[in-house]
C-alpha cells in the first residue's frame, strides 16, 4: 500500500517493483498516470 | 479520490530514507506520492503506443491527439521542422551495436510536440513527414530514409537544397495563412559533439528577430523552471543565442531552433532514448509556447 498525504490506494505494480523488475518509484508514478516530467531523468 | 493541488514534492526526496540503490523500494514500507493538480494528467501520453501518422498535411483535423483538452493555443499556428530526414540521417551514434540517428529522434519528439499542440487547439504543419513512422515508444529507433517534405517532395541530398526546400515549404504555407496573428517556426535538432560533452537543451534565434528571441527566451525560462521543479539539485545551463542559420533566416514567420542535447554523450542520450523523457521534453516545449502565445 502506498500512502499519500491526500489519498491512499492499492497498487498491484508494487509487487513487481519490490522484486526488482521495475524502475522503482518512478514506475509507480508512470503506472498511475503522472505526467512524464515526474520521472524525467536527463 | 481526493486530489488537491499542492506544492510538488519530488518522490525521491519525499522518500529519501526508504529508497535503495537504483531506486528500488522496500517490501512492507509505506511511501508518499507527490500530489499534483488533476488536470495536468497527460491523458494523451497514456494512449501513445503505435500511433501511426500517415501524414499530417495541410488541414487542421486532429491527426495525433485523441481529443482537445483546452483552447490555450487556439489562434496559434506552428510550422514544425524536424531536423534532417530523407537521405540525411543527421548525426549518428551507436548503442549496443545498433546505430541510431538524429533525424529519427528529432522526428519522434516533433510528433509529440505536434500532438500536444493539437490537444491545446493549436494549428500546425509538420513540414517533414514519414509515411510509416508515428510516435514510437521504443528506446532505439530504427533508421529509415523515407521522410519527405511538404507537400509531397522527396528530400534532396544536397544540404543547401534540403534546407531551402523546407524553408520554402513553410513560406508557401505562410502565404495561405497570413490571417494567423501568432505564427512560429520550431526547428528540432540533436547536437553532435565529443562523447564527453554534456550540454543542456539550448536555443537559437535569427539575429535581429525580436519575436524569435522572445520565444526562445520564454522556452529557455520554461526549461529552467521545470528543471528547478523536477530535478531541484541538478541545475540547468541551457542558453539562448543568435545564429545565422539558413532555415531560420529564410522562413518568414519568427523561428526558434532547438538543440536538445549531444547524441554522442551518454547522459544527454537519456533525454532522447527514453520515450518518457521525449514526452517530457515535448510537454515543456509546448508549455513554453503556450506562455509565449499568451504573452504576445
Amino acid at each position: 500500500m502506498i500512502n499519500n498525504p491526500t489519498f491512499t490506494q492499492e497498487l498491484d505494480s508494487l509487487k513487481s517493483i519490490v522484486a526488482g523488475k521495475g524502475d522503482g518509484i518512478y514506475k509507480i508514478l508512470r503506472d498511475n498516470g503522472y505526467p512524464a516530467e515526474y520521472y524525467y531523468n536527463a | 479520490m481526493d486530489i488537491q493541488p499542492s506544492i510538488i514534492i519530488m518522490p525521491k526526496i519525499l522518500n529519501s530514507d526508504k529508497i535503495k540503490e537504483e531506486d528500488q523500494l522496500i517490501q512492507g514500507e509505506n511511501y508518499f506520492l507527490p500530489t499534483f493538480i488533476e488536470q495536468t494528467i497527460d491523458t494523451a501520453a497514456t494512449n501513445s503506443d503505435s500511433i501511426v501518422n500517415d501524414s499530417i498535411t495541410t488541414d487542421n483535423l486532429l491527426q495525433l491527439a485523441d481529443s482537445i483538452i483546452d483552447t490555450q493555443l487556439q489562434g496559434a499556428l506552428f510550422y514544425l521542422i524536424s531536423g534532417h530526414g530523407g537521405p540525411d540521417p543527421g548525426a549518428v551514434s551507436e548503442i549496443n551495436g545498433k546505430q541510431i540517428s538524429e533525424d529519427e529522434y528529432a522526428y519522434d519528439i516533433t510528433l509529440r510536440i505536434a500532438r500536444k499542440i493539437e490537444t491545446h487547439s493549436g494549428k500546425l504543419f509538420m513540414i517533414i513527414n514519414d509515411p510509416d513512422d508515428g510516435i514510437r515508444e521504443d528506446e532505439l529507433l530504427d533508421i529509415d530514409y523515407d521522410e519527405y517534405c511538404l507537400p509531397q517532395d522527396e528530400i534532396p541530398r544536397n544540404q543547401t537544397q534540403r534546407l531551402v526546400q523546407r524553408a520554402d515549404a513553410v513560406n508557401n504555407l505562410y502565404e495561405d495563412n497570413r490571417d494567423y496573428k501568432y505564427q512560429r517556426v520550431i526547428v528540432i535538432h540533436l547536437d553532435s559533439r565529443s562523447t564527453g560533452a554534456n550540454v543542456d537543451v539550448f536555443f537559437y534565434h535569427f539575429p535581429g528577430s525580436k519575436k524569435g528571441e522572445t520565444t526562445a527566451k520564454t522556452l529557455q525560462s520554461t526549461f529552467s523552471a521545470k528543471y528547478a521543479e523536477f530535478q531541484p539539485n541538478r541545475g540547468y545551463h541551457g542558453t539562448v543565442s543568435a545564429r545565422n542559420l539558413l532555415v531560420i533566416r529564410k522562413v518568414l514567420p519568427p523561428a526558434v531552433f532547438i538543440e536538445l542535447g549531444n547524441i554522442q554523450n551518454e547522459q544527454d542520450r537519456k533525454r532522447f532514448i527514453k520515450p518518457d523523457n521525449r514526452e517530457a521534453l515535448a510537454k515543456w516545449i509546448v508549455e513554453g509556447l503556450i506562455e509565449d502565445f499568451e504573452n504576445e
Side-chain angles (χ1 to χ4, degrees):
Chain A
M1 181 177 290
I2 302 293
N3 278 343
N4 180 279
T6 56
F7 66 95
T8 302
Q9 62 185 129
E10 295 283 351
L11 293 170
D12 292 338
S13 59
L14 183 60
K15 291 179 181 175
S16 66
I17 291 166
V18 296
K21 297 177 182 175
D23 294 326
I25 200 160
Y26 291 116
K27 185 175 188 320
I28 293 178
L29 298 175
R30 190 180 200 287
D31 292 348
N32 283 271
Y34 282 74
E37 58 201 348
Y38 279 81
Y39 33 92
Y40 178 83
N41 64 350
Chain B
M1 184 182 300
D2 181 22
I3 299 179
Q4 301 167 356
S6 72
I7 296 170
I8 292 167
I9 304 170
M10 291 311 295
K12 285 181 74 171
I13 296 173
L14 200 62
N15 301 286
S16 59
D17 57 335
K18 297 181 284 192
I19 295 180
K20 298 190 294 182
E21 286 183 10
E22 298 180 351
D23 298 336
Q24 291 302 310
L25 308 186
I26 302 167
Q27 192 163 19
E29 186 60 88
N30 287 336
Y31 293 87
F32 293 105
L33 293 181
T35 52
F36 67 101
I37 301 169
E38 190 170 23
Q39 60 264 33
T40 64
I41 295 176
D42 190 347
T43 51
T46 62
N47 298 316
S48 58
D49 290 340
S50 303
I51 294 174
V52 174
N53 168 41
D54 288 335
S55 68
I56 298 175
T57 54
T58 55
D59 58 32
N60 196 27
L61 298 174
L62 287 180
Q63 298 287 337
L64 289 162
D66 293 331
S67 60
I68 292 172
I69 60 174
D70 61 45
T71 57
Q72 287 181 295
L73 286 174
Q74 192 161 55
L77 172 59
F78 300 93
Y79 306 88
L80 304 180
I81 304 177
S82 58
H84 306 277
D88 171 26
V92 295
S93 189
E94 194 174 289
I95 298 178
N96 300 329
K98 181 179 173 71
Q99 194 172 60
I100 61 168
S101 69
E102 174 183 359
D103 70 327
E104 301 297 339
Y105 290 93
Y107 185 66
D108 187 87
I109 291 164
T110 305
L111 281 179
R112 291 169 191 269
I113 293 169
R115 180 172 62 184
K116 290 184 182 299
I117 288 172
E118 284 187 342
T119 66
H120 295 294
S121 308
K123 180 174 179 177
L124 65 101
F125 297 110
M126 285 285 293
I127 301 302
I128 304 300
N129 286 277
D130 186 306
D132 52 18
D133 285 339
I135 293 173
R136 289 177 276 182
E137 297 302 320
D138 306 312
E139 292 199 352
L140 303 183
L141 303 182
D142 291 337
I143 301 173
D144 62 21
Y145 303 94
D146 58 353
E147 294 88 2
Y148 62 90
C149 183
L150 282 185
Q152 201 82 40
D153 296 339
E154 186 177 335
I155 296 174
R157 288 187 177 276
N158 177 277
Q159 183 186 15
T160 301
Q161 289 177 7
R162 192 170 60 244
L163 298 177
V164 168
Q165 178 191 54
R166 56 195 63 191
D168 286 347
V170 169
N171 292 340
N172 289 336
L173 291 164
Y174 176 76
E175 291 301 324
D176 297 330
N177 292 278
R178 285 180 174 271
D179 51 328
Y180 280 81
K181 299 298 182 195
Y182 179 94
Q183 304 196 24
R184 292 292 183 273
V185 179
I186 306 297
V187 187
I188 301 294
H189 276 260
L190 275 55
D191 208 4
S192 181
R193 305 183 180 199
S194 64
T195 55
N198 187 207
V199 291
D200 282 345
V201 177
F202 63 98
F203 306 88
Y204 292 125
H205 59 87
F206 183 66
S209 170
K210 291 294 180 193
K211 289 186 176 179
E213 181 178 2
T214 298
T215 303
K217 286 181 174 176
T218 303
L219 289 168
Q220 192 260 7
S221 162
T222 301
F223 269 72
S224 182
K226 291 295 185 180
Y227 271 105
E229 185 175 15
F230 292 102
Q231 291 191 288
N233 299 320
R234 178 193 184 279
Y236 167 72
H237 307 287
T239 57
V240 172
S241 55
R243 190 169 174 192
N244 187 356
L245 297 167
L246 192 152
V247 171
I248 60 174
R249 177 177 73 242
K250 190 168 169 52
V251 292
L252 295 172
V256 177
F257 188 108
I258 306 177
E259 290 276 14
L260 295 173
N262 178 11
I263 195 172
Q264 311 297 348
N265 179 271
E266 189 173 346
Q267 179 62 26
D268 280 14
R269 276 179 186 163
K270 288 183 184 175
R271 225 171 282 152
F272 339 120
I273 301 302
K274 288 190 173 295
D276 290 334
N277 288 346
R278 298 200 293 270
E279 187 68 21
L281 289 173
K283 184 175 189 292
W284 295 351
I285 289 169
V286 173
E287 286 187 26
L289 294 174
I290 289 170
E291 184 180 340
D292 190 59
F293 177 56
E294 288 172 346
N295 293 338
E296 172 87 343

